[in-house]
Amino acid sequence: MPFSSWLRTSTSAPRFIPRRRRRGGGEARRGGNHHTHTVKRLRLRLHLRLRSHGLRSHGRRSRRHRRAQDQVRSPAQYRIWGDQGQAALEKASICLLNCGPTGTEALKNLVLGGIGSVTVVDGSKVEPSDLGNNFLLDEECLGHSRAKSICSFLQELNDAVKAKYVEESPATMIDTNPSFFSQFTVVIATQLPESSLLKLDSICGSANIVLVAARSYGLTGLVRVSIKEHCVIESKPDHFLDDLRLHNPWTELKQFAKSIDICDKDAVVHKHTPYIVILVGLAEKWADAHDGQLPSTRQEKREFKDLIRAHMLNVDEDNYKEAVESSYKVSVTPGISNEIRQIIDDNSSEVNSSSSDFWVLVSALKEFIPNEGNGELPLEGTIPDMTSLTEYYVSLQKIYQAKAESDCLAMEHRVKSILKRIGRDPESISRAYIKTFCKNTRKLKVCRYRSMEEEFSSPVLSEVQKYFADEDSCYAMNFYVLLRAVDRLAASYSRLPGIFDSIGSTSEIVEDVPRLKAAAVSVLSDMGLKGASLSEDLVTEVCRFAGAEIHPVGAFIGGVASQEVIKLVTKQFVPLNGTFIFNGIDLKSQVLAL
C-alpha cells in the first residue's frame, strides 16, 4: 500500500516499514497519482493561506500590500521574536545542502518566516520518486533540476526572499570549494553521510559559521547544532520570577511604600493598594522585629503570610490575596545566581579588541554589580498586573522604569569606557542593544558545543553509559549508533542497508542485518563501549527502512531544524545543546548530550 494511502486509513501508531527500495522507478509504490493530487491540494491550501495575508496566487503582493510589507507578516512572529528578531532573520543568508523532503520542509518554514536569502545546493534531477515525498514538486518538474524547481516554488511562498541554487553535489562542493560556505549565516546540511558531515563541520567551525545537521531515515531522524559558542541575551524561559526587588527595595520604592498607609480604613483605598506596597511595608515591619532578617524558614514564611492576612479588612480584598500569593518574593536570595556568576567569571569577560559585543557587555556588567548595582544586576523595569488604583499603579511603573533607566545609563557609560579602552569605537554598540541586555541580565545563556569530530571520536563516556542504562533513553541511543552505522556500511558496500540493484527476496535484507550489526559494534567500540549490544529488533527495522526519506518524518525533522535556525539567527530562546533523536516507532524524542 502506498504510504500516502496508508496514512489515511491507518488507525494505529505509525509502523510503516518499506520492505525494499530499488534504485530508480517505483512510482506506483511511492504514492503514484494519488500523491500528485495530494500535492496539488497542499499547494492550494498554501495558496489560500497566502491570499489571506494579501498575496496573489503567483506569489506577488498587490500594490496595497507591497506598500505595507511589514503588516503582511503574521503578527505572531513579532510577538514571539520582536522587531530585532525579525530584522535578524531578514539579514540572514541560509545555505541548504540537499533539497529532499527534510531540507525542503526546513527551508519552507524559514521562507514563510521571512528569512533574507536562501541558496540550495543539490545536483539531482527530479525523479518520479520525488513526487511521492516532496510536496513542493509536481509532474512538470520531472527531469529538471531539483534545486531549481524547489527555489521556484519557494519564491511563490514569499517573493521577498532571494532564492538561488547551485546544481552540484554537496559532497563535491565540500571537497572542492570549501570557501563557498563562508558567505552564509547558517548552513543546513541534510542527508549527508558522516564523512562529508565531518569535513563540513571543520569548514564551518574554522569560518565561525553555524552548522545545523538534519537527517530523516525511515521512522527515525536527528538534528544536531554545531558552533563553537552561542550567546543568548533573550532566552525567554517559560517561567521566571518577576524582578521586583522586594527583598532589597531601593530608596525611591521605600519612600513610595511609606507614602501609602496600609492601615488606612478607607475601604476603596485599602482594597486597591498594590501588593508591592503591602509587601515592602510589611517586610520592613517583619525585619524590624527579627534583627533585620526577612522570613527564611517554612515556619517564618507561614507567619509572614499570617501577618499579611491580619491587615485585611474584608475577605474579598484581592490585593491582599495577591500579597499572600506573592509573599515568597520577599524571601528571594539576594545577589547573583550561580549560572550568571559563571558567565561573569568566564575568561571571555576579560575582553580585547576582538571580543564580541556580548562579552563586552558582560565585562561592563562585572564592573556594574559591585558599584552602581550594590551587589545586584540591572533592574528589568517592568511590573506585573495587579489590583490597584490607577494612580498608584502608574506611579509604581514610573519608579521601576526610572530605576531601570538609571541602571541602563550606568551600564552604557561603562560599555563606552571599555570600548575606548580596548581600541574600539565607543558608539559601536547601540543603546538599544545595551537596553535589551540590561532587561535580560538574569536570563543570559552561553552555549558551547563540542565539534562533531570530538563527539564521534571521544564522547562523554559517563553520559553514554547513563543513556544506555535508562529505559527511556536507550532507544534513542540505539538509533544514534545505528544512524552512524548505516554510513559505515554504505562506505563498505556503496549502498545503504536494504537497498538493492535488483528485485530479490527478503533474504537479502536478512543478509544486511549482521552487516549492520557489525558496523554498529564498530561504532560502539570507537565510543569506548566494547561488549555493548543493541536491540536486535531495531537493527532489523533500520535495515527495513532502506534509507527511505518519508515525508511525515522529514516534515517533523525539518520543522525542528528550522526552529533551531530561527533560535540561532535571532539569538533568542536556547537552542538544542546535543543531538536530538526522533523515534517515530514509539513517537518519542530525546536530546543526547555527548
Side-chain angles (χ1 to χ4, degrees):
M1 178 187 296
F3 185 70
S4 53
S5 301
W6 170 87
L7 196 61
R8 294 181 303 129
T9 58
S10 175
T11 58
S12 59
R15 291 192 59 85
F16 169 76
I17 311 295
R19 288 287 177 182
R20 176 172 292 97
R21 206 178 99 193
R22 296 181 61 195
R23 291 175 177 164
E27 178 181 351
R29 291 186 289 114
R30 290 179 178 83
N33 294 330
H34 167 76
H35 202 87
T36 301
H37 296 309
T38 303
V39 168
K40 292 180 179 178
R41 287 198 299 271
L42 287 169
R43 290 178 62 194
L44 177 60
R45 289 174 194 166
L46 278 173
H47 160 72
L48 293 174
R49 176 184 172 187
L50 293 173
R51 283 193 62 182
S52 70
H53 285 279
L55 289 165
R56 296 178 185 270
S57 60
H58 49 65
R60 295 179 181 171
R61 303 201 199 293
S62 65
R63 187 176 302 168
R64 176 170 60 87
H65 284 92
R66 188 177 292 278
R67 286 198 302 265
Q69 181 174 334
D70 289 340
Q71 297 177 7
V72 171
R73 294 194 175 89
S74 169
Q77 293 178 203
Y78 290 94
R79 286 196 296 271
I80 294 171
W81 51 69
D83 291 340
Q84 290 183 344
Q86 188 64 42
L89 283 174
E90 291 173 3
K91 292 178 183 176
S93 177
I94 308 297
C95 177
L96 172 69
L97 303 184
N98 288 320
C99 53
T102 307
T104 299
E105 287 288 343
L107 215 53
K108 177 260 294 178
N109 295 336
L110 295 173
V111 166
L112 288 174
I115 207 76
S117 66
V118 298
T119 300
V120 178
V121 180
D122 192 318
S124 304
K125 302 295 184 182
V126 178
E127 299 179 358
S129 58
D130 291 315
L131 305 185
N133 63 5
N134 196 327
F135 79 90
L136 283 186
L137 297 174
D138 58 24
E139 292 177 342
E140 295 178 2
C141 301
L142 285 173
H144 295 285
S145 163
R146 189 163 69 171
K148 182 179 180 180
S149 300
I150 291 296
C151 282
S152 175
F153 285 125
L154 286 174
Q155 289 215 279
E156 283 192 19
L157 302 182
N158 187 349
D159 65 350
V161 174
K162 299 175 183 176
K164 297 184 291 184
Y165 62 92
V166 178
E167 293 184 62
E168 189 168 348
S169 162
T172 302
M173 182 70 77
I174 292 168
D175 290 336
T176 62
N177 192 9
S179 61
F180 169 79
F181 300 100
S182 62
Q183 61 186 297
F184 301 106
T185 310
V186 179
V187 175
I188 306 174
T190 65
Q191 308 303 104
L192 280 187
E194 184 175 304
S195 56
S196 296
L197 196 57
L198 287 173
K199 293 176 185 177
L200 181 61
D201 185 46
S202 177
I203 292 167
C204 291
S206 300
N208 201 29
I209 303 298
V210 179
L211 172 63
V212 177
R215 184 176 192 178
S216 63
Y217 195 97
L219 291 179
T220 187
L222 63 80
V223 176
R224 175 35 158 104
V225 173
S226 182
I227 185 176
K228 292 178 181 177
E229 179 182 275
H230 181 69
C231 302
V232 184
I233 294 176
E234 299 179 79
S235 61
K236 300 184 179 181
D238 291 334
H239 304 286
F240 214 79
L241 191 65
D242 296 315
D243 188 15
L244 301 179
R245 302 290 168 89
L246 301 180
H247 64 287
N248 185 21
W250 61 100
T251 303
E252 291 80 6
L253 182 57
K254 285 182 180 179
Q255 290 174 346
F256 178 73
K258 287 180 179 178
S259 70
I260 300 174
D261 183 6
I262 61 174
C263 296
D264 195 320
K265 299 302 180 182
D266 185 309
V268 174
V269 173
H270 194 270
K271 72 189 302 182
H272 291 91
T273 300
Y275 80 77
I276 289 178
V277 171
I278 297 170
L279 290 177
V280 169
L282 293 181
E284 185 175 2
K285 182 177 181 179
W286 174 280
D288 290 342
H290 293 81
D291 299 324
Q293 300 299 312
L294 293 172
S296 57
T297 66
R298 181 177 297 180
Q299 179 61 31
E300 287 176 342
K301 291 175 182 178
R302 189 179 297 116
E303 291 174 1
F304 184 64
K305 288 182 178 180
D306 291 339
L307 177 63
I308 297 170
R309 294 189 186 100
H311 283 72
M312 295 177 70
L313 297 180
N314 297 294
V315 294
D316 65 341
E317 292 180 319
D318 290 336
N319 57 332
Y320 275 85
K321 293 177 183 178
E322 291 170 358
V324 171
E325 292 172 357
S326 302
S327 60
Y328 68 94
K329 297 176 183 178
V330 169
S331 304
V332 171
T333 304
I336 315 301
S337 70
N338 291 334
E339 188 173 6
I340 300 303
R341 177 60 64 187
Q342 287 179 353
I343 294 174
I344 292 171
D345 293 339
D346 194 280
N347 290 335
S348 297
S349 64
E350 303 297 327
V351 295
N352 52 48
S353 58
S354 61
S355 296
S356 68
D357 290 352
F358 176 88
W359 287 111
V360 171
L361 285 165
V362 170
S363 182
L365 181 63
K366 191 173 184 178
E367 295 179 3
F368 170 90
I369 292 171
N371 295 290
E372 297 90 349
N374 294 315
E376 298 278 2
L377 297 167
L379 186 73
E380 288 183 20
T382 58
I383 59 175
D385 291 336
M386 63 190 74
T387 303
S388 173
L389 291 173
T390 301
E391 56 266 34
Y392 287 170
Y393 189 82
V394 171
S395 296
L396 266 179
Q397 272 188 324
K398 290 180 178 178
I399 289 168
Y400 274 85
Q401 288 170 356
K403 171 63 173 170
E405 180 68 17
S406 174
D407 288 352
C408 185
L409 282 172
M411 277 287 292
E412 186 177 5
H413 289 316
R414 292 196 173 273
V415 168
K416 289 182 178 180
S417 175
I418 291 171
L419 288 171
K420 187 176 180 180
R421 188 167 70 237
I422 62 177
R424 287 179 55 183
D425 179 4
E427 304 295 331
S428 60
I429 299 180
S430 70
R431 192 173 195 281
Y433 188 73
I434 297 171
K435 190 173 183 178
T436 300
F437 183 90
C438 290
K439 286 183 65 176
N440 292 278
T441 49
R442 297 186 305 142
K443 307 164 190 172
L444 303 177
K445 298 285 183 181
V446 175
C447 304
R448 292 191 171 110
Y449 298 84
R450 305 179 77 205
S451 70
M452 292 185 185
E453 177 65 40
E454 290 171 330
E455 178 183 312
F456 291 168
S457 61
S458 56
V460 182
L461 193 57
S462 59
E463 291 295 308
V464 174
Q465 292 170 337
K466 181 184 76 174
Y467 291 135
F468 269 116
D470 183 75
E471 184 178 350
D472 292 333
S473 305
C474 184
Y475 262 50
M477 199 67 220
N478 273 246
F479 275 126
Y480 174 86
V481 172
L482 288 169
L483 285 172
R484 292 187 57 195
V486 297
D487 286 335
R488 294 200 178 185
L489 188 148
S492 299
Y493 291 89
S494 300
R495 62 171 177 81
L496 294 170
I499 300 179
F500 305 98
D501 288 318
S502 59
I503 297 177
S505 64
T506 56
S507 62
E508 292 175 319
I509 289 180
V510 173
E511 291 173 4
D512 269 349
V513 171
R515 294 168 183 163
L516 182 59
K517 187 176 179 180
V521 169
S522 173
V523 173
L524 288 169
S525 178
D526 289 350
M527 295 173 69
L529 291 173
K530 294 181 179 179
S533 60
L534 299 178
S535 164
E536 294 281 351
D537 288 342
L538 279 188
V539 175
T540 303
E541 292 283 87
V542 170
C543 284
R544 293 171 63 192
F545 289 163
E549 196 176 354
I550 302 169
H551 182 261
V553 178
F556 180 77
I557 295 297
V560 173
S562 60
Q563 175 180 274
E564 296 311 301
V565 171
I566 289 174
K567 292 178 186 177
L568 293 159
V569 169
T570 61
K571 296 190 175 180
Q572 298 179 19
F573 302 95
V574 182
L576 294 170
N577 201 341
T579 303
F580 173 87
I581 300 289
F582 173 63
N583 171 4
I585 295 175
D586 297 318
L587 299 181
K588 294 181 179 179
S589 61
Q590 175 89 28
V591 177
L592 305 175
L594 303 175

PDB file of all heavy atoms in Angstrom, residues 568-587:
ATOM      1  N   LEU A 568      18.945  30.394  16.481  1.00  0.00           N
ATOM      2  CA  LEU A 568      20.355  30.762  16.293  1.00  0.00           C
ATOM      3  C   LEU A 568      20.507  32.099  15.592  1.00  0.00           C
ATOM      4  O   LEU A 568      21.407  32.884  15.916  1.00  0.00           O
ATOM      5  CB  LEU A 568      21.068  29.664  15.501  1.00  0.00           C
ATOM      6  CG  LEU A 568      21.213  28.327  16.238  1.00  0.00           C
ATOM      7  CD1 LEU A 568      21.441  27.188  15.256  1.00  0.00           C
ATOM      8  CD2 LEU A 568      22.352  28.394  17.247  1.00  0.00           C
ATOM      9  N   VAL A 569      19.643  32.380  14.629  1.00  0.00           N
ATOM     10  CA  VAL A 569      19.731  33.632  13.881  1.00  0.00           C
ATOM     11  C   VAL A 569      19.259  34.809  14.729  1.00  0.00           C
ATOM     12  O   VAL A 569      19.913  35.858  14.773  1.00  0.00           O
ATOM     13  CB  VAL A 569      18.911  33.540  12.575  1.00  0.00           C
ATOM     14  CG1 VAL A 569      18.783  34.911  11.922  1.00  0.00           C
ATOM     15  CG2 VAL A 569      19.566  32.560  11.603  1.00  0.00           C
ATOM     16  N   THR A 570      18.125  34.651  15.415  1.00  0.00           N
ATOM     17  CA  THR A 570      17.585  35.747  16.221  1.00  0.00           C
ATOM     18  C   THR A 570      18.318  35.886  17.547  1.00  0.00           C
ATOM     19  O   THR A 570      18.200  36.910  18.215  1.00  0.00           O
ATOM     20  CB  THR A 570      16.095  35.519  16.522  1.00  0.00           C
ATOM     21  OG1 THR A 570      15.933  34.307  17.273  1.00  0.00           O
ATOM     22  CG2 THR A 570      15.278  35.442  15.241  1.00  0.00           C
ATOM     23  N   LYS A 571      19.058  34.847  17.948  1.00  0.00           N
ATOM     24  CA  LYS A 571      19.718  34.792  19.251  1.00  0.00           C
ATOM     25  C   LYS A 571      18.705  34.966  20.378  1.00  0.00           C
ATOM     26  O   LYS A 571      18.939  35.663  21.369  1.00  0.00           O
ATOM     27  CB  LYS A 571      20.844  35.827  19.337  1.00  0.00           C
ATOM     28  CG  LYS A 571      21.967  35.557  18.348  1.00  0.00           C
ATOM     29  CD  LYS A 571      23.184  36.406  18.577  1.00  0.00           C
ATOM     30  CE  LYS A 571      24.296  35.998  17.622  1.00  0.00           C
ATOM     31  NZ  LYS A 571      25.522  36.811  17.794  1.00  0.00           N
ATOM     32  N   GLN A 572      17.568  34.311  20.176  1.00  0.00           N
ATOM     33  CA  GLN A 572      16.514  34.262  21.179  1.00  0.00           C
ATOM     34  C   GLN A 572      16.150  32.807  21.437  1.00  0.00           C
ATOM     35  O   GLN A 572      16.240  31.972  20.545  1.00  0.00           O
ATOM     36  CB  GLN A 572      15.285  35.035  20.712  1.00  0.00           C
ATOM     37  CG  GLN A 572      15.538  36.522  20.490  1.00  0.00           C
ATOM     38  CD  GLN A 572      14.294  37.245  20.010  1.00  0.00           C
ATOM     39  OE1 GLN A 572      13.184  36.763  20.155  1.00  0.00           O
ATOM     40  NE2 GLN A 572      14.492  38.420  19.427  1.00  0.00           N
ATOM     41  N   PHE A 573      15.732  32.532  22.661  1.00  0.00           N
ATOM     42  CA  PHE A 573      15.472  31.169  23.112  1.00  0.00           C
ATOM     43  C   PHE A 573      16.792  30.383  23.121  1.00  0.00           C
ATOM     44  O   PHE A 573      17.801  30.827  22.570  1.00  0.00           O
ATOM     45  CB  PHE A 573      14.422  30.477  22.247  1.00  0.00           C
ATOM     46  CG  PHE A 573      13.097  31.198  22.205  1.00  0.00           C
ATOM     47  CD1 PHE A 573      12.805  32.092  21.184  1.00  0.00           C
ATOM     48  CD2 PHE A 573      12.148  30.994  23.193  1.00  0.00           C
ATOM     49  CE1 PHE A 573      11.598  32.768  21.142  1.00  0.00           C
ATOM     50  CE2 PHE A 573      10.942  31.669  23.163  1.00  0.00           C
ATOM     51  CZ  PHE A 573      10.663  32.558  22.146  1.00  0.00           C
ATOM     52  N   VAL A 574      16.778  29.234  23.746  1.00  0.00           N
ATOM     53  CA  VAL A 574      18.008  28.445  23.908  1.00  0.00           C
ATOM     54  C   VAL A 574      17.989  27.278  22.930  1.00  0.00           C
ATOM     55  O   VAL A 574      17.076  26.439  22.976  1.00  0.00           O
ATOM     56  CB  VAL A 574      18.138  27.920  25.353  1.00  0.00           C
ATOM     57  CG1 VAL A 574      19.445  27.144  25.518  1.00  0.00           C
ATOM     58  CG2 VAL A 574      18.074  29.072  26.348  1.00  0.00           C
ATOM     59  N   PRO A 575      18.960  27.196  22.029  1.00  0.00           N
ATOM     60  CA  PRO A 575      18.977  26.098  21.041  1.00  0.00           C
ATOM     61  C   PRO A 575      19.332  24.764  21.683  1.00  0.00           C
ATOM     62  O   PRO A 575      19.812  24.703  22.820  1.00  0.00           O
ATOM     63  CB  PRO A 575      20.048  26.547  20.040  1.00  0.00           C
ATOM     64  CG  PRO A 575      20.949  27.445  20.825  1.00  0.00           C
ATOM     65  CD  PRO A 575      20.080  28.128  21.841  1.00  0.00           C
ATOM     66  N   LEU A 576      19.099  23.703  20.937  1.00  0.00           N
ATOM     67  CA  LEU A 576      19.448  22.358  21.394  1.00  0.00           C
ATOM     68  C   LEU A 576      20.944  22.275  21.680  1.00  0.00           C
ATOM     69  O   LEU A 576      21.758  22.707  20.865  1.00  0.00           O
ATOM     70  CB  LEU A 576      19.092  21.319  20.327  1.00  0.00           C
ATOM     71  CG  LEU A 576      17.613  21.113  20.011  1.00  0.00           C
ATOM     72  CD1 LEU A 576      17.476  20.236  18.775  1.00  0.00           C
ATOM     73  CD2 LEU A 576      16.886  20.487  21.190  1.00  0.00           C
ATOM     74  N   ASN A 577      21.291  21.720  22.823  1.00  0.00           N
ATOM     75  CA  ASN A 577      22.713  21.538  23.133  1.00  0.00           C
ATOM     76  C   ASN A 577      22.991  20.044  23.228  1.00  0.00           C
ATOM     77  O   ASN A 577      23.194  19.491  24.305  1.00  0.00           O
ATOM     78  CB  ASN A 577      23.074  22.241  24.452  1.00  0.00           C
ATOM     79  CG  ASN A 577      24.564  22.523  24.547  1.00  0.00           C
ATOM     80  OD1 ASN A 577      25.358  21.916  23.838  1.00  0.00           O
ATOM     81  ND2 ASN A 577      24.936  23.430  25.418  1.00  0.00           N
ATOM     82  N   GLY A 578      22.956  19.405  22.079  1.00  0.00           N
ATOM     83  CA  GLY A 578      23.144  17.972  21.993  1.00  0.00           C
ATOM     84  C   GLY A 578      22.543  17.472  20.695  1.00  0.00           C
ATOM     85  O   GLY A 578      22.133  18.255  19.839  1.00  0.00           O
ATOM     86  N   THR A 579      22.471  16.169  20.540  1.00  0.00           N
ATOM     87  CA  THR A 579      21.891  15.563  19.336  1.00  0.00           C
ATOM     88  C   THR A 579      20.445  15.180  19.609  1.00  0.00           C
ATOM     89  O   THR A 579      20.176  14.354  20.487  1.00  0.00           O
ATOM     90  CB  THR A 579      22.696  14.329  18.897  1.00  0.00           C
ATOM     91  OG1 THR A 579      24.063  14.707  18.674  1.00  0.00           O
ATOM     92  CG2 THR A 579      22.127  13.745  17.617  1.00  0.00           C
ATOM     93  N   PHE A 580      19.532  15.793  18.859  1.00  0.00           N
ATOM     94  CA  PHE A 580      18.111  15.491  19.001  1.00  0.00           C
ATOM     95  C   PHE A 580      17.794  14.242  18.186  1.00  0.00           C
ATOM     96  O   PHE A 580      18.071  14.187  16.989  1.00  0.00           O
ATOM     97  CB  PHE A 580      17.286  16.676  18.491  1.00  0.00           C
ATOM     98  CG  PHE A 580      15.799  16.431  18.422  1.00  0.00           C
ATOM     99  CD1 PHE A 580      14.992  16.665  19.521  1.00  0.00           C
ATOM    100  CD2 PHE A 580      15.215  15.960  17.256  1.00  0.00           C
ATOM    101  CE1 PHE A 580      13.625  16.439  19.462  1.00  0.00           C
ATOM    102  CE2 PHE A 580      13.852  15.737  17.182  1.00  0.00           C
ATOM    103  CZ  PHE A 580      13.053  15.977  18.293  1.00  0.00           C
ATOM    104  N   ILE A 581      17.236  13.219  18.839  1.00  0.00           N
ATOM    105  CA  ILE A 581      16.883  11.963  18.180  1.00  0.00           C
ATOM    106  C   ILE A 581      15.364  11.790  18.220  1.00  0.00           C
ATOM    107  O   ILE A 581      14.749  11.898  19.281  1.00  0.00           O
ATOM    108  CB  ILE A 581      17.541  10.750  18.866  1.00  0.00           C
ATOM    109  CG1 ILE A 581      19.073  10.875  18.843  1.00  0.00           C
ATOM    110  CG2 ILE A 581      17.099   9.447  18.211  1.00  0.00           C
ATOM    111  CD1 ILE A 581      19.700  10.696  17.489  1.00  0.00           C
ATOM    112  N   PHE A 582      14.766  11.526  17.057  1.00  0.00           N
ATOM    113  CA  PHE A 582      13.336  11.256  16.979  1.00  0.00           C
ATOM    114  C   PHE A 582      13.110   9.771  16.756  1.00  0.00           C
ATOM    115  O   PHE A 582      13.688   9.176  15.845  1.00  0.00           O
ATOM    116  CB  PHE A 582      12.695  12.051  15.836  1.00  0.00           C
ATOM    117  CG  PHE A 582      11.255  11.702  15.593  1.00  0.00           C
ATOM    118  CD1 PHE A 582      10.296  11.923  16.572  1.00  0.00           C
ATOM    119  CD2 PHE A 582      10.856  11.147  14.386  1.00  0.00           C
ATOM    120  CE1 PHE A 582       8.960  11.593  16.350  1.00  0.00           C
ATOM    121  CE2 PHE A 582       9.523  10.830  14.146  1.00  0.00           C
ATOM    122  CZ  PHE A 582       8.573  11.053  15.143  1.00  0.00           C
ATOM    123  N   ASN A 583      12.296   9.177  17.600  1.00  0.00           N
ATOM    124  CA  ASN A 583      11.930   7.766  17.498  1.00  0.00           C
ATOM    125  C   ASN A 583      10.496   7.709  17.021  1.00  0.00           C
ATOM    126  O   ASN A 583       9.551   7.857  17.798  1.00  0.00           O
ATOM    127  CB  ASN A 583      12.103   7.096  18.870  1.00  0.00           C
ATOM    128  CG  ASN A 583      11.544   5.686  18.925  1.00  0.00           C
ATOM    129  OD1 ASN A 583      11.079   5.153  17.914  1.00  0.00           O
ATOM    130  ND2 ASN A 583      11.576   5.077  20.103  1.00  0.00           N
ATOM    131  N   GLY A 584      10.309   7.515  15.711  1.00  0.00           N
ATOM    132  CA  GLY A 584       8.982   7.513  15.130  1.00  0.00           C
ATOM    133  C   GLY A 584       8.205   6.233  15.380  1.00  0.00           C
ATOM    134  O   GLY A 584       6.999   6.181  15.146  1.00  0.00           O
ATOM    135  N   ILE A 585       8.858   5.203  15.881  1.00  0.00           N
ATOM    136  CA  ILE A 585       8.159   3.956  16.186  1.00  0.00           C
ATOM    137  C   ILE A 585       7.325   4.139  17.455  1.00  0.00           C
ATOM    138  O   ILE A 585       6.157   3.767  17.509  1.00  0.00           O
ATOM    139  CB  ILE A 585       9.161   2.797  16.349  1.00  0.00           C
ATOM    140  CG1 ILE A 585       9.875   2.524  15.019  1.00  0.00           C
ATOM    141  CG2 ILE A 585       8.455   1.533  16.849  1.00  0.00           C
ATOM    142  CD1 ILE A 585      10.958   1.477  15.101  1.00  0.00           C
ATOM    143  N   ASP A 586       7.940   4.740  18.472  1.00  0.00           N
ATOM    144  CA  ASP A 586       7.241   4.976  19.735  1.00  0.00           C
ATOM    145  C   ASP A 586       6.767   6.417  19.887  1.00  0.00           C
ATOM    146  O   ASP A 586       6.206   6.783  20.911  1.00  0.00           O
ATOM    147  CB  ASP A 586       8.153   4.628  20.915  1.00  0.00           C
ATOM    148  CG  ASP A 586       8.532   3.151  20.938  1.00  0.00           C
ATOM    149  OD1 ASP A 586       7.643   2.330  20.688  1.00  0.00           O
ATOM    150  OD2 ASP A 586       9.707   2.841  21.184  1.00  0.00           O
ATOM    151  N   LEU A 587       7.044   7.250  18.864  1.00  0.00           N
ATOM    152  CA  LEU A 587       6.677   8.666  18.892  1.00  0.00           C
ATOM    153  C   LEU A 587       7.255   9.364  20.121  1.00  0.00           C
ATOM    154  O   LEU A 587       6.550  10.034  20.881  1.00  0.00           O
ATOM    155  CB  LEU A 587       5.153   8.826  18.844  1.00  0.00           C
ATOM    156  CG  LEU A 587       4.463   8.270  17.592  1.00  0.00           C
ATOM    157  CD1 LEU A 587       2.973   8.495  17.650  1.00  0.00           C
ATOM    158  CD2 LEU A 587       5.040   8.890  16.332  1.00  0.00           C
TER     159      LEU A 587
END
